[in-house]
Amino acid sequence: MVIKRNGDGKEKEPESLDRRFEGVGDKKSVRQALHIREGTVDKFQFRNLTISASTGKPDTIYYSHDIISSLAYYKQLATKNCHALIINGDHDMTFPYVGTKQWINSLNLRVKSPWKPWFIRTQVAGYEKTYSKAKYSLKYVTIKGAGHSVALYKAEELMVTVETWLASHTNSSKS
């Protein structure tokens, strides 16, 4: 990992995700890849800053309340014709990958492709496993050395993961 330093030798803070991805969601090619119908979303927002207004709870950008479980929603989603991608940093202490694997196992999906390494320039960049059920598929990818904010510290690995996954599903909703 390269540590960037200011002129005074102190470590620089990583670039804000807001700045890094500003305007990306407004690009026509991105909206087409995500199958966002024209006119349905005015402007892409990286963060939902209105959550406190909708829940009636004082909040910051960090959530101060819990959802008991989202498992029922994902079990229902697994009955649909869609594709899901779950990305986990293997050093994520907020959502450890072992817990994510257990959560995915509780969906009772069939293993389509077994746990295997994936690479960038011959180096192991993480591991992946694909699950399926009827017309539903879920790809689970870990990114080696990444914590909870994968995009901050492993941007290249994240981009390769997302681009590869999107490319493998091009026009899949039209079939």
Side-chain angles (χ1 to χ4, degrees):
M1 178 170 115
V2 176
I3 298 175
K4 295 181 181 177
R5 300 198 181 274
N6 293 324
D8 60 4
K10 292 183 180 176
E11 275 188 44
K12 278 179 145 180
E13 286 291 317
E15 185 179 359
S16 159
L17 283 178
D18 288 347
R19 284 190 307 241
R20 187 180 282 184
F21 293 108
E22 187 176 341
V24 170
D26 293 325
K27 291 182 179 179
K28 189 173 185 172
S29 61
V30 172
R31 288 177 177 236
Q32 286 174 336
L34 296 174
H35 302 285
I36 298 172
R37 291 184 308 280
E38 206 168 312
T40 59
V41 178
D42 294 330
K43 182 157 176 54
F44 174 79
Q45 289 183 337
F46 182 73
R47 251 188 258 166
N48 180 358
L49 299 175
T50 62
I51 188 126
S52 59
S54 65
T55 62
K57 296 180 180 186
D59 216 340
T60 65
I61 60 169
Y62 306 103
Y63 300 113
S64 61
H65 55 278
D66 291 330
I67 297 172
I68 302 302
S69 176
S70 61
L71 189 59
Y73 297 108
Y74 285 92
K75 283 187 175 184
Q76 183 180 15
L77 188 61
T79 67
K80 307 294 181 190
N81 179 10
C82 68
H83 309 285
L85 172 65
I86 296 180
I87 302 168
N88 230 154
D90 67 356
H91 291 193
D92 186 343
M93 293 296 114
T94 305
F95 298 104
Y97 77 93
V98 174
T100 304
K101 282 175 61 176
Q102 290 174 338
W103 176 83
I104 292 169
N105 289 340
S106 73
L107 295 173
N108 298 317
L109 303 172
R110 180 180 63 82
V111 175
K112 187 174 180 181
S113 86
W115 196 242
K116 64 183 179 185
W118 63 277
F119 302 85
I120 294 181
R121 290 183 296 283
T122 71
Q123 292 291 312
V124 173
Y127 291 83
E128 65 184 23
K129 188 173 187 176
T130 306
Y131 302 83
S132 67
K133 183 177 188 178
K135 294 181 179 183
Y136 176 80
S137 72
L138 182 148
K139 183 170 198 160
Y140 176 49
V141 178
T142 65
I143 296 183
K144 185 178 175 188
H148 186 63
S149 298
V150 174
L152 282 176
Y153 299 101
K154 296 291 184 173
E156 180 184 17
E157 290 84 344
L158 178 63
M159 208 56 159
V160 167
T161 299
V162 172
E163 286 176 349
T164 302
W165 183 78
L166 286 173
S168 72
H169 292 54
T170 301
N171 298 321
S172 62
S173 66
K174 294 179 183 176
S175 54

